[in-house]
Amino acid sequence: MAEKSSGQDSGNAGSNAMWGARFDRGPVEAMEGINSSLHFDRRLAAQDVRASRAHCRMLGKTGIISSEASSRILEGLDLIEKELADGSFPFDAKLEDIHMNVEARLAALIGEDAGRLHTARSRNDQVATDFRLWVRDNIDALDDGLKAFQGALIAQAETHADTIMPGFTHMQGAQPVTFGHHLMAYYEMARRDRSRLADCRERLNECPLGAGALAGTPFPIDRAATADALEFREPARNSMDAVSDRDFALEFLSALSIAAVHLSRLAEEIVLWSGPQFAFVRLSDSFSTGSSIMPQKRNPDGAELVRAKAGRIIGSLTGLLVVMKGLPLAYSKDMQEDKEPVFDAAGTFESCIAVMTGMIADLEVDKARMAEAANAGFLTATDLADWLVRSLELPFRKAHHITGSIVKLAEEKNCGLAELALAEMQKIEPGINADVFSVLAADKSVASRSGLGGTAPGAVRAAIAIARKELARKELE
Protein backbone atom coordinates (compact mmCIF):
# COMPACT_ATOMS: atom_id res chain seq x y z
CA MET A 1 0.00 0.00 0.00
CA ALA A 2 1.25 3.46 -0.85
CA GLU A 3 2.87 5.37 1.95
CA LYS A 4 0.90 8.11 3.67
CA SER A 5 1.84 11.31 5.45
CA SER A 6 0.74 12.17 8.99
CA GLY A 7 -2.24 14.56 8.59
CA GLN A 8 -5.30 14.58 6.41
CA ASP A 9 -6.15 16.85 3.50
CA SER A 10 -9.58 17.49 2.10
CA GLY A 11 -8.52 16.50 -1.39
CA ASN A 12 -9.94 17.76 -4.68
CA ALA A 13 -13.03 16.70 -6.52
CA GLY A 14 -12.50 13.36 -8.15
CA SER A 15 -9.44 12.45 -6.08
CA ASN A 16 -9.19 10.21 -3.02
CA ALA A 17 -9.41 12.52 0.01
CA MET A 18 -6.91 10.39 1.86
CA TRP A 19 -4.24 11.12 -0.74
CA GLY A 20 -4.23 14.88 -0.19
CA ALA A 21 -4.13 17.60 -2.85
CA ARG A 22 -1.41 16.12 -5.04
CA PHE A 23 -3.86 14.68 -7.56
CA ASP A 24 -6.36 16.57 -9.69
CA ARG A 25 -8.24 13.51 -10.91
CA GLY A 26 -9.13 10.15 -9.48
CA PRO A 27 -8.07 6.84 -11.04
CA VAL A 28 -9.94 5.34 -13.95
CA GLU A 29 -12.28 2.44 -13.23
CA ALA A 30 -9.74 -0.18 -14.28
CA MET A 31 -7.14 1.32 -11.97
CA GLU A 32 -9.63 1.42 -9.10
CA GLY A 33 -10.32 -2.26 -9.65
CA ILE A 34 -6.70 -3.37 -9.54
CA ASN A 35 -5.76 -0.95 -6.78
CA SER A 36 -8.49 -1.83 -4.32
CA SER A 37 -7.78 -4.52 -1.74
CA LEU A 38 -10.87 -4.17 0.45
CA HIS A 39 -12.45 -7.35 -0.87
CA PHE A 40 -9.70 -9.39 0.80
CA ASP A 41 -7.94 -7.22 3.38
CA ARG A 42 -11.18 -6.62 5.27
CA ARG A 43 -10.07 -9.75 7.11
CA LEU A 44 -7.58 -7.50 8.89
CA ALA A 45 -10.33 -5.36 10.42
CA ALA A 46 -10.01 -6.66 13.97
CA GLN A 47 -6.24 -6.39 13.89
CA ASP A 48 -6.45 -2.87 12.42
CA VAL A 49 -8.68 -1.69 15.25
CA ARG A 50 -6.46 -3.32 17.84
CA ALA A 51 -3.28 -1.77 16.44
CA SER A 52 -4.96 1.63 16.04
CA ARG A 53 -6.09 1.50 19.65
CA ALA A 54 -2.52 0.81 20.84
CA HIS A 55 -1.15 3.60 18.63
CA CYS A 56 -3.77 6.06 19.88
CA ARG A 57 -3.04 5.35 23.53
CA MET A 58 0.65 5.84 22.90
CA LEU A 59 -0.01 9.18 21.15
CA GLY A 60 -2.06 10.34 24.12
CA LYS A 61 0.43 9.22 26.77
CA THR A 62 3.35 10.88 25.00
CA GLY A 63 1.42 14.11 24.53
CA ILE A 64 1.66 13.98 20.74
CA ILE A 65 -2.12 14.38 20.71
CA SER A 66 -4.27 15.62 23.58
CA SER A 67 -5.76 13.18 26.07
CA GLU A 68 -9.21 14.44 25.05
CA ALA A 69 -8.58 13.62 21.40
CA SER A 70 -7.14 10.25 22.37
CA SER A 71 -10.26 9.44 24.43
CA ARG A 72 -12.59 10.41 21.58
CA ILE A 73 -10.63 8.27 19.13
CA LEU A 74 -10.70 5.30 21.48
CA GLU A 75 -14.46 5.68 21.94
CA GLY A 76 -14.87 5.72 18.18
CA LEU A 77 -12.71 2.64 17.76
CA ASP A 78 -14.84 0.86 20.37
CA LEU A 79 -17.95 1.65 18.31
CA ILE A 80 -16.25 0.41 15.15
CA GLU A 81 -15.24 -2.81 16.88
CA LYS A 82 -18.87 -3.40 17.85
CA GLU A 83 -20.05 -2.70 14.31
CA LEU A 84 -17.53 -5.14 12.92
CA ALA A 85 -18.63 -7.77 15.43
CA ASP A 86 -22.35 -7.44 14.72
CA GLY A 87 -21.96 -7.02 10.96
CA SER A 88 -23.26 -3.45 10.76
CA PHE A 89 -19.96 -1.81 9.77
CA PRO A 90 -20.58 0.14 6.53
CA PHE A 91 -17.80 -1.03 4.23
CA ASP A 92 -17.25 1.40 1.38
CA ALA A 93 -15.89 -0.16 -1.80
CA LYS A 94 -14.82 3.27 -3.07
CA LEU A 95 -12.16 3.43 -0.39
CA GLU A 96 -9.05 1.41 -1.17
CA ASP A 97 -8.72 -0.89 1.78
CA ILE A 98 -9.76 -1.78 5.29
CA HIS A 99 -7.43 0.83 6.80
CA MET A 100 -9.10 3.65 4.85
CA ASN A 101 -12.51 2.26 5.72
CA VAL A 102 -11.76 2.25 9.43
CA GLU A 103 -10.35 5.76 9.30
CA ALA A 104 -13.26 7.11 7.25
CA ARG A 105 -15.78 5.50 9.60
CA LEU A 106 -13.95 6.95 12.57
CA ALA A 107 -14.23 10.42 11.01
CA ALA A 108 -17.95 9.91 10.47
CA LEU A 109 -18.38 8.92 14.11
CA ILE A 110 -16.20 11.46 15.94
CA GLY A 111 -15.33 14.17 13.42
CA GLU A 112 -12.04 15.95 12.87
CA ASP A 113 -10.14 14.27 15.70
CA ALA A 114 -10.18 11.07 13.65
CA GLY A 115 -7.53 12.65 11.46
CA ARG A 116 -5.14 12.79 14.41
CA LEU A 117 -4.94 8.98 14.65
CA HIS A 118 -2.65 8.77 11.63
CA THR A 119 -0.09 11.06 13.26
CA ALA A 120 3.36 9.41 13.40
CA ARG A 121 2.38 6.38 11.34
CA SER A 122 2.06 5.40 7.69
CA ARG A 123 -0.13 2.88 6.05
CA ASN A 124 3.12 1.01 5.43
CA ASP A 125 3.90 0.35 9.09
CA GLN A 126 0.18 0.10 9.82
CA VAL A 127 -0.47 -2.74 7.38
CA ALA A 128 2.78 -4.50 8.28
CA THR A 129 1.65 -4.52 11.91
CA ASP A 130 -1.90 -5.65 11.12
CA PHE A 131 -0.64 -8.44 8.89
CA ARG A 132 1.79 -9.72 11.50
CA LEU A 133 -0.99 -9.72 14.08
CA TRP A 134 -3.24 -11.70 11.71
CA VAL A 135 -0.57 -14.30 10.94
CA ARG A 136 0.25 -14.62 14.63
CA ASP A 137 -3.43 -15.16 15.49
CA ASN A 138 -3.74 -17.79 12.78
CA ILE A 139 -0.60 -19.63 13.84
CA ASP A 140 -2.22 -20.03 17.26
CA ALA A 141 -5.45 -21.31 15.72
CA LEU A 142 -3.72 -23.72 13.33
CA ASP A 143 -1.54 -25.01 16.14
CA ASP A 144 -4.72 -26.01 17.96
CA GLY A 145 -5.78 -27.91 14.84
CA LEU A 146 -2.47 -29.72 14.58
CA LYS A 147 -2.64 -30.60 18.26
CA ALA A 148 -6.09 -32.15 17.76
CA PHE A 149 -4.71 -34.09 14.80
CA GLN A 150 -1.89 -35.42 16.98
CA GLY A 151 -4.46 -36.47 19.56
CA ALA A 152 -6.40 -38.46 16.95
CA LEU A 153 -3.21 -40.17 15.80
CA ILE A 154 -2.27 -41.10 19.35
CA ALA A 155 -5.71 -42.53 20.07
CA GLN A 156 -5.65 -44.78 17.00
CA ALA A 157 -2.01 -45.72 17.58
CA GLU A 158 -2.79 -46.81 21.10
CA THR A 159 -5.69 -48.93 19.88
CA HIS A 160 -3.50 -50.54 17.24
CA ALA A 161 -0.14 -50.81 19.00
CA ASP A 162 -0.34 -54.58 18.41
CA THR A 163 -1.93 -54.52 14.95
CA ILE A 164 0.57 -55.95 12.46
CA MET A 165 0.73 -54.66 8.90
CA PRO A 166 3.27 -54.64 6.10
CA GLY A 167 5.71 -51.75 6.07
CA PHE A 168 6.67 -50.55 2.61
CA THR A 169 9.66 -49.20 0.75
CA HIS A 170 9.36 -48.43 -2.96
CA MET A 171 5.64 -49.24 -2.45
CA GLN A 172 6.56 -52.90 -2.01
CA GLY A 173 6.27 -54.97 1.13
CA ALA A 174 9.51 -54.56 3.08
CA GLN A 175 9.22 -55.59 6.75
CA PRO A 176 6.36 -56.12 9.19
CA VAL A 177 5.45 -53.14 11.36
CA THR A 178 2.59 -52.24 13.65
CA PHE A 179 -0.14 -49.88 12.51
CA GLY A 180 0.36 -47.90 15.71
CA HIS A 181 4.02 -47.37 14.80
CA HIS A 182 3.03 -46.25 11.31
CA LEU A 183 0.58 -43.68 12.68
CA MET A 184 3.11 -42.38 15.20
CA ALA A 185 5.40 -41.51 12.28
CA TYR A 186 2.77 -38.92 11.30
CA TYR A 187 2.62 -37.72 14.91
CA GLU A 188 6.33 -36.91 14.61
CA MET A 189 5.73 -35.01 11.37
CA ALA A 190 3.00 -32.97 13.05
CA ARG A 191 5.34 -32.31 15.99
CA ARG A 192 7.86 -30.78 13.61
CA ASP A 193 5.10 -28.83 11.85
CA ARG A 194 4.06 -27.27 15.14
CA SER A 195 7.69 -26.49 15.93
CA ARG A 196 8.12 -24.73 12.58
CA LEU A 197 5.02 -22.63 13.17
CA ALA A 198 6.24 -21.77 16.67
CA ASP A 199 9.59 -20.69 15.22
CA CYS A 200 7.77 -18.57 12.64
CA ARG A 201 5.69 -16.97 15.39
CA GLU A 202 8.79 -16.15 17.42
CA ARG A 203 10.56 -14.51 14.48
CA LEU A 204 7.57 -12.47 13.32
CA ASN A 205 6.88 -11.15 16.81
CA GLU A 206 8.50 -7.76 16.22
CA CYS A 207 6.37 -4.64 15.98
CA PRO A 208 6.68 -2.44 12.85
CA LEU A 209 4.66 0.46 14.28
CA GLY A 210 6.77 3.57 14.38
CA ALA A 211 8.70 2.75 11.23
CA GLY A 212 6.55 5.21 9.30
CA ALA A 213 6.64 5.06 5.53
CA LEU A 214 10.25 3.82 5.58
CA ALA A 215 12.43 6.27 7.55
CA GLY A 216 10.85 6.41 10.98
CA THR A 217 9.09 9.50 12.37
CA PRO A 218 10.24 12.81 13.89
CA PHE A 219 7.55 12.59 16.59
CA PRO A 220 8.70 11.49 20.07
CA ILE A 221 6.79 8.22 20.00
CA ASP A 222 7.20 5.32 22.41
CA ARG A 223 7.65 2.25 20.21
CA ALA A 224 8.24 -0.03 23.17
CA ALA A 225 4.82 0.91 24.54
CA THR A 226 2.95 -0.01 21.35
CA ALA A 227 4.96 -3.20 20.98
CA ASP A 228 4.12 -4.18 24.54
CA ALA A 229 0.44 -3.29 24.15
CA LEU A 230 0.20 -5.55 21.11
CA GLU A 231 2.15 -8.35 22.83
CA PHE A 232 5.08 -8.16 20.46
CA ARG A 233 8.44 -9.21 21.83
CA GLU A 234 10.09 -5.93 20.79
CA PRO A 235 9.89 -3.18 18.17
CA ALA A 236 11.36 -3.95 14.76
CA ARG A 237 14.91 -2.63 14.71
CA ASN A 238 15.18 -1.12 11.22
CA SER A 239 12.44 1.08 9.78
CA MET A 240 13.12 0.13 6.15
CA ASP A 241 13.13 -3.57 6.93
CA ALA A 242 10.05 -3.22 9.14
CA VAL A 243 7.80 -1.97 6.33
CA SER A 244 9.21 -4.13 3.53
CA ASP A 245 9.81 -7.44 5.28
CA ARG A 246 7.48 -10.27 4.31
CA ASP A 247 9.75 -13.08 5.49
CA PHE A 248 7.15 -13.88 8.12
CA ALA A 249 4.50 -14.45 5.45
CA LEU A 250 6.88 -16.59 3.38
CA GLU A 251 7.93 -18.58 6.43
CA PHE A 252 4.29 -19.09 7.41
CA LEU A 253 3.49 -20.35 3.91
CA SER A 254 6.58 -22.54 3.94
CA ALA A 255 5.58 -24.14 7.23
CA LEU A 256 2.04 -24.68 5.95
CA SER A 257 3.36 -26.17 2.71
CA ILE A 258 5.49 -28.72 4.54
CA ALA A 259 2.60 -29.56 6.88
CA ALA A 260 0.27 -29.90 3.88
CA VAL A 261 2.74 -32.29 2.24
CA HIS A 262 2.63 -34.41 5.38
CA LEU A 263 -1.16 -34.48 5.27
CA SER A 264 -1.00 -35.30 1.58
CA ARG A 265 1.25 -38.29 2.20
CA LEU A 266 -1.16 -39.66 4.79
CA ALA A 267 -4.09 -38.91 2.49
CA GLU A 268 -2.40 -40.89 -0.28
CA GLU A 269 -2.01 -43.86 2.06
CA ILE A 270 -5.66 -43.64 3.10
CA VAL A 271 -6.67 -43.66 -0.57
CA LEU A 272 -4.59 -46.80 -1.13
CA TRP A 273 -5.53 -48.53 2.11
CA SER A 274 -9.27 -47.97 1.65
CA GLY A 275 -9.33 -49.44 -1.87
CA PRO A 276 -10.28 -53.09 -2.43
CA GLN A 277 -6.74 -53.93 -3.57
CA PHE A 278 -5.50 -53.24 -0.02
CA ALA A 279 -8.71 -53.21 2.05
CA PHE A 280 -6.74 -52.30 5.18
CA VAL A 281 -9.16 -49.60 6.37
CA ARG A 282 -12.67 -48.37 5.84
CA LEU A 283 -13.68 -44.73 5.86
CA SER A 284 -16.95 -43.81 7.48
CA ASP A 285 -19.81 -42.39 5.45
CA SER A 286 -18.89 -38.96 6.81
CA PHE A 287 -15.70 -38.89 4.73
CA SER A 288 -16.75 -40.94 1.70
CA THR A 289 -18.88 -40.20 -1.34
CA GLY A 290 -20.64 -42.31 -3.92
CA SER A 291 -20.68 -42.37 -7.69
CA SER A 292 -23.41 -40.98 -9.90
CA ILE A 293 -23.16 -44.03 -12.16
CA MET A 294 -21.45 -46.87 -10.24
CA PRO A 295 -23.53 -47.92 -7.23
CA GLN A 296 -20.78 -50.01 -5.65
CA LYS A 297 -18.32 -47.13 -5.23
CA ARG A 298 -17.17 -45.63 -1.92
CA ASN A 299 -14.83 -42.87 -2.96
CA PRO A 300 -12.28 -41.48 -0.47
CA ASP A 301 -12.96 -37.91 -1.60
CA GLY A 302 -11.94 -36.33 1.70
CA ALA A 303 -8.47 -37.83 1.45
CA GLU A 304 -8.20 -37.00 -2.24
CA LEU A 305 -9.11 -33.36 -1.65
CA VAL A 306 -6.57 -33.05 1.16
CA ARG A 307 -3.99 -34.52 -1.18
CA ALA A 308 -4.88 -32.03 -3.92
CA LYS A 309 -5.03 -28.96 -1.70
CA ALA A 310 -1.40 -29.42 -0.75
CA GLY A 311 -0.65 -28.22 -4.26
CA ARG A 312 -2.78 -25.14 -3.72
CA ILE A 313 -0.89 -24.24 -0.54
CA ILE A 314 2.48 -24.82 -2.20
CA GLY A 315 1.30 -22.60 -5.05
CA SER A 316 0.61 -19.79 -2.59
CA LEU A 317 4.19 -20.02 -1.32
CA THR A 318 5.62 -20.06 -4.84
CA GLY A 319 3.49 -17.11 -5.91
CA LEU A 320 4.58 -14.89 -3.03
CA LEU A 321 8.24 -15.85 -3.49
CA VAL A 322 7.99 -14.65 -7.08
CA VAL A 323 6.31 -11.39 -6.01
CA MET A 324 9.07 -10.64 -3.50
CA LYS A 325 12.13 -11.83 -5.38
CA GLY A 326 13.02 -8.58 -7.19
CA LEU A 327 11.65 -5.82 -4.97
CA PRO A 328 14.08 -3.05 -3.97
CA LEU A 329 13.75 -1.43 -0.57
CA ALA A 330 11.50 -0.28 0.84
CA TYR A 331 7.76 -0.62 0.13
CA SER A 332 6.30 -1.30 -3.32
CA LYS A 333 2.66 -1.76 -4.25
CA ASP A 334 3.55 -5.27 -5.44
CA MET A 335 3.39 -6.22 -1.78
CA GLN A 336 -0.38 -5.81 -1.80
CA GLU A 337 -0.25 -9.28 -3.37
CA ASP A 338 1.04 -10.74 -0.10
CA LYS A 339 -2.28 -11.21 1.67
CA GLU A 340 -4.48 -13.26 -0.63
CA PRO A 341 -2.10 -16.25 -0.81
CA VAL A 342 -1.63 -16.18 2.96
CA PHE A 343 -5.36 -15.90 3.64
CA ASP A 344 -6.13 -18.67 1.16
CA ALA A 345 -3.42 -21.02 2.41
CA ALA A 346 -4.41 -20.57 6.05
CA GLY A 347 -8.07 -21.26 5.31
CA THR A 348 -7.22 -24.22 3.11
CA PHE A 349 -4.95 -25.78 5.70
CA GLU A 350 -7.52 -25.24 8.43
CA SER A 351 -10.05 -27.25 6.37
CA CYS A 352 -7.50 -29.96 5.56
CA ILE A 353 -6.40 -30.53 9.14
CA ALA A 354 -10.02 -30.70 10.33
CA VAL A 355 -10.92 -33.28 7.68
CA MET A 356 -7.81 -35.36 8.29
CA THR A 357 -8.37 -35.33 12.05
CA GLY A 358 -11.91 -36.56 11.53
CA MET A 359 -10.86 -39.29 9.11
CA ILE A 360 -8.20 -40.63 11.46
CA ALA A 361 -10.49 -40.49 14.48
CA ASP A 362 -13.19 -42.77 13.00
CA LEU A 363 -11.04 -44.95 10.76
CA GLU A 364 -12.06 -48.63 10.86
CA VAL A 365 -9.10 -51.00 10.60
CA ASP A 366 -9.25 -54.55 9.20
CA LYS A 367 -6.68 -56.21 11.45
CA ALA A 368 -7.02 -59.62 9.82
CA ARG A 369 -6.41 -58.23 6.34
CA MET A 370 -3.36 -56.30 7.54
CA ALA A 371 -1.94 -59.40 9.25
CA GLU A 372 -2.51 -61.51 6.14
CA ALA A 373 -0.62 -58.96 4.03
CA ALA A 374 2.20 -58.80 6.58
CA ASN A 375 2.70 -62.56 6.37
CA ALA A 376 2.89 -62.55 2.58
CA GLY A 377 5.73 -61.46 0.33
CA PHE A 378 8.65 -62.74 2.43
CA LEU A 379 8.67 -59.68 4.71
CA THR A 380 10.71 -61.51 7.34
CA ALA A 381 13.63 -62.13 4.98
CA THR A 382 15.72 -59.51 6.79
CA ASP A 383 14.97 -61.26 10.08
CA LEU A 384 16.32 -64.49 8.56
CA ALA A 385 19.51 -62.74 7.46
CA ASP A 386 19.91 -61.19 10.93
CA TRP A 387 19.39 -64.63 12.53
CA LEU A 388 22.15 -66.09 10.37
CA VAL A 389 24.49 -63.34 11.55
CA ARG A 390 23.59 -63.73 15.22
CA SER A 391 23.31 -67.51 15.43
CA LEU A 392 25.91 -68.68 12.90
CA GLU A 393 28.22 -65.66 13.14
CA LEU A 394 28.19 -65.22 9.37
CA PRO A 395 29.16 -61.92 7.73
CA PHE A 396 26.01 -60.01 6.85
CA ARG A 397 26.76 -60.04 3.11
CA LYS A 398 27.03 -63.83 3.15
CA ALA A 399 23.87 -64.08 5.22
CA HIS A 400 22.13 -61.78 2.75
CA HIS A 401 23.17 -64.08 -0.12
CA ILE A 402 21.97 -67.21 1.67
CA THR A 403 18.67 -65.56 2.52
CA GLY A 404 18.19 -64.59 -1.10
CA SER A 405 18.61 -68.23 -2.11
CA ILE A 406 16.05 -69.34 0.51
CA VAL A 407 13.57 -66.68 -0.67
CA LYS A 408 14.02 -67.92 -4.23
CA LEU A 409 13.26 -71.47 -3.07
CA ALA A 410 10.08 -70.28 -1.31
CA GLU A 411 9.03 -68.47 -4.48
CA GLU A 412 9.51 -71.62 -6.52
CA LYS A 413 7.47 -73.63 -4.01
CA ASN A 414 4.85 -70.85 -3.77
CA CYS A 415 4.96 -70.78 0.02
CA GLY A 416 6.06 -68.51 2.85
CA LEU A 417 9.45 -68.68 4.52
CA ALA A 418 7.94 -70.16 7.68
CA GLU A 419 6.33 -72.91 5.58
CA LEU A 420 9.63 -74.24 4.22
CA ALA A 421 10.89 -77.47 5.72
CA LEU A 422 14.03 -77.22 7.84
CA ALA A 423 15.75 -79.80 5.66
CA GLU A 424 15.14 -77.67 2.57
CA MET A 425 16.79 -74.65 4.16
CA GLN A 426 19.69 -76.80 5.40
CA LYS A 427 20.47 -77.80 1.81
CA ILE A 428 21.32 -74.13 1.24
CA GLU A 429 23.00 -73.55 4.63
CA PRO A 430 23.72 -76.64 6.74
CA GLY A 431 24.13 -74.63 9.95
CA ILE A 432 20.47 -73.59 10.06
CA ASN A 433 18.59 -75.23 12.93
CA ALA A 434 14.98 -75.29 14.20
CA ASP A 435 15.45 -72.04 16.11
CA VAL A 436 15.23 -70.22 12.79
CA PHE A 437 11.44 -70.54 12.87
CA SER A 438 11.37 -68.22 15.87
CA VAL A 439 12.04 -65.25 13.58
CA LEU A 440 10.11 -66.14 10.43
CA ALA A 441 6.62 -65.11 11.55
CA ALA A 442 5.54 -61.46 11.24
CA ASP A 443 4.57 -61.13 14.90
CA LYS A 444 7.99 -62.41 16.00
CA SER A 445 9.69 -59.95 13.69
CA VAL A 446 7.72 -57.04 15.10
CA ALA A 447 8.27 -58.09 18.72
CA SER A 448 12.03 -58.27 18.22
CA ARG A 449 12.28 -54.57 17.32
CA SER A 450 11.78 -53.27 20.83
CA GLY A 451 14.49 -50.61 20.98
CA LEU A 452 13.89 -46.86 21.04
CA GLY A 453 12.05 -45.88 17.87
CA GLY A 454 11.22 -49.48 17.04
CA THR A 455 7.93 -50.97 15.90
CA ALA A 456 7.38 -53.46 18.74
CA PRO A 457 4.11 -52.90 20.64
CA GLY A 458 5.98 -52.02 23.83
CA ALA A 459 8.12 -49.47 22.01
CA VAL A 460 5.03 -47.97 20.40
CA ARG A 461 3.31 -47.62 23.76
CA ALA A 462 6.42 -46.00 25.20
CA ALA A 463 6.41 -43.51 22.30
CA ILE A 464 2.72 -42.80 22.93
CA ALA A 465 3.40 -42.13 26.60
CA ILE A 466 6.07 -39.59 25.67
CA ALA A 467 3.72 -38.01 23.13
CA ARG A 468 0.93 -37.64 25.66
CA LYS A 469 3.30 -35.87 28.04
CA GLU A 470 4.38 -33.55 25.22
CA LEU A 471 0.80 -32.61 24.43
CA ALA A 472 0.03 -32.07 28.10
CA ARG A 473 3.00 -29.70 28.40
CA LYS A 474 1.84 -27.79 25.36
CA GLU A 475 -1.53 -27.30 27.04
CA LEU A 476 0.21 -25.48 29.89
CA GLU A 477 2.35 -23.18 27.75
Side-chain angles (χ1 to χ4, degrees):
M1 302 186 177
E3 57 266 12
K4 298 295 167 224
S5 59
S6 299
Q8 296 297 319
D9 295 297
S10 60
N12 296 309
S15 69
N16 187 321
M18 300 293 182
W19 293 353
R22 174 66 178 82
F23 294 84
D24 294 323
R25 293 183 300 169
V28 297
E29 184 176 351
M31 180 60 187
E32 284 185 340
I34 197 173
N35 192 51
S36 175
S37 59
L38 179 63
H39 60 288
F40 59 83
D41 68 19
R42 62 195 295 169
R43 294 194 191 193
L44 299 175
Q47 288 79 18
D48 193 69
V49 170
R50 183 181 175 191
S52 292
R53 189 179 282 127
H55 184 67
C56 176
R57 288 188 175 123
M58 181 275 296
L59 292 176
K61 288 179 179 178
T62 56
I64 295 172
I65 64 174
S66 70
S67 59
E68 293 79 12
S70 176
S71 295
R72 280 190 289 273
I73 292 170
L74 290 172
E75 288 172 2
L77 290 172
D78 287 344
L79 291 173
I80 289 172
E81 187 173 56
K82 291 177 182 177
E83 290 178 342
L84 289 166
D86 64 23
S88 63
F89 183 87
F91 290 101
D92 186 351
K94 293 180 181 178
L95 298 174
E96 283 183 34
D97 52 38
I98 185 59
H99 320 292
M100 292 299 196
N101 269 261
V102 169
E103 188 169 332
R105 182 58 179 160
L106 186 63
L109 290 171
I110 70 169
E112 188 177 46
D113 277 337
R116 302 184 189 280
L117 176 59
H118 209 56
T119 305
R121 78 174 182 185
S122 158
R123 253 194 309 173
N124 292 353
D125 61 342
Q126 182 182 1
V127 70
T129 302
D130 294 353
F131 197 18
R132 283 176 185 257
L133 289 171
W134 190 94
V135 172
R136 195 177 70 183
D137 290 344
N138 275 264
I139 285 175
D140 294 342
L142 294 177
D143 182 70
D144 288 341
L146 280 163
K147 186 162 55 180
F149 173 57
Q150 287 179 302
L153 290 168
I154 287 173
Q156 281 284 19
E158 195 162 42
T159 299
H160 294 286
D162 298 280
T163 299
I164 296 173
M165 68 175 291
F168 296 88
T169 62
H170 306 280
M171 269 310 296
Q172 298 181 44
Q175 292 179 300
V177 297
T178 53
F179 188 49
H181 189 56
H182 195 122
L183 292 176
M184 288 303 290
Y186 285 101
Y187 171 89
E188 292 298 321
M189 295 182 206
R191 183 170 65 88
R192 294 192 297 274
D193 293 331
R194 293 181 66 193
S195 177
R196 270 183 284 271
L197 285 171
D199 287 345
C200 175
R201 192 190 194 285
E202 175 65 17
R203 265 185 290 278
L204 72 77
N205 210 24
E206 298 177 356
C207 185
L209 269 182
L214 78 162
T217 175
F219 291 94
I221 62 174
D222 185 347
R223 293 193 61 207
T226 49
D228 185 62
L230 295 171
E231 299 180 322
F232 283 105
R233 184 181 66 254
E234 60 183 339
R237 298 177 184 181
N238 182 284
S239 62
M240 296 181 73
D241 181 58
V243 298
S244 63
D245 167 44
R246 293 299 182 270
D247 288 2
F248 67 93
L250 292 169
E251 189 171 0
F252 179 56
L253 290 174
S254 177
L256 291 188
S257 295
I258 295 170
V261 166
H262 292 156
L263 295 185
S264 181
R265 294 181 71 180
L266 179 53
E268 168 70 6
E269 296 202 300
I270 290 174
V271 170
L272 293 173
W273 293 342
S274 62
Q277 291 76 18
F278 279 79
F280 287 174
V281 302
R282 179 182 176 88
L283 292 172
S284 72
D285 292 349
S286 301
F287 298 99
S288 304
T289 64
S291 166
S292 64
I293 188 173
M294 296 168 283
Q296 82 282 8
K297 294 296 291 298
R298 286 179 59 85
N299 298 324
D301 281 8
E304 290 173 355
L305 286 167
V306 169
R307 184 176 60 185
K309 288 182 183 296
R312 180 169 176 163
I313 294 171
I314 293 166
S316 294
L317 170 62
T318 303
L320 186 53
L321 282 168
V322 173
V323 168
M324 295 300 299
K325 71 173 181 59
L327 296 186
L329 292 178
Y331 183 87
S332 296
K333 190 74 170 189
D334 312 51
M335 292 163 69
Q336 182 168 288
E337 294 298 306
D338 59 357
K339 293 165 200 66
E340 285 184 286
V342 169
F343 294 159
D344 185 79
T348 299
F349 188 81
E350 182 181 26
S351 298
C352 289
I353 197 68
V355 168
M356 188 60 74
T357 301
M359 278 193 292
I360 291 299
D362 68 356
L363 204 63
E364 296 179 20
V365 177
D366 190 331
K367 297 171 69 172
R369 174 68 189 125
M370 282 188 173
E372 178 187 358
N375 280 291
F378 318 113
L379 269 61
T380 57
T382 305
D383 297 271
L384 173 55
D386 289 341
W387 183 89
L388 292 169
V389 171
R390 289 195 310 271
S391 299
L392 305 185
E393 298 184 352
L394 299 178
F396 181 80
R397 284 301 163 208
K398 184 174 182 180
H400 187 285
H401 182 79
I402 292 169
T403 301
S405 298
I406 294 174
V407 167
K408 183 178 180 182
L409 175 63
E411 281 182 320
E412 292 170 351
K413 297 180 72 66
N414 194 28
C415 68
L417 292 176
E419 296 169 321
L420 286 172
L422 177 60
E424 292 175 314
M425 288 188 277
Q426 287 174 334
K427 290 179 182 178
I428 297 172
E429 171 49 56
I432 294 176
N433 58 55
D435 183 60
V436 73
F437 291 102
S438 67
V439 301
L440 296 183
D443 60 337
K444 299 288 196 265
S445 171
V446 165
S448 71
R449 287 164 165 76
S450 57
L452 178 65
T455 191
V460 173
R461 292 190 177 95
I464 290 171
I466 292 171
R468 288 197 184 282
K469 288 180 180 178
E470 286 177 344
L471 290 188
R473 285 201 301 272
K474 290 291 184 181
E475 292 280 14
L476 297 175
E477 289 179 359

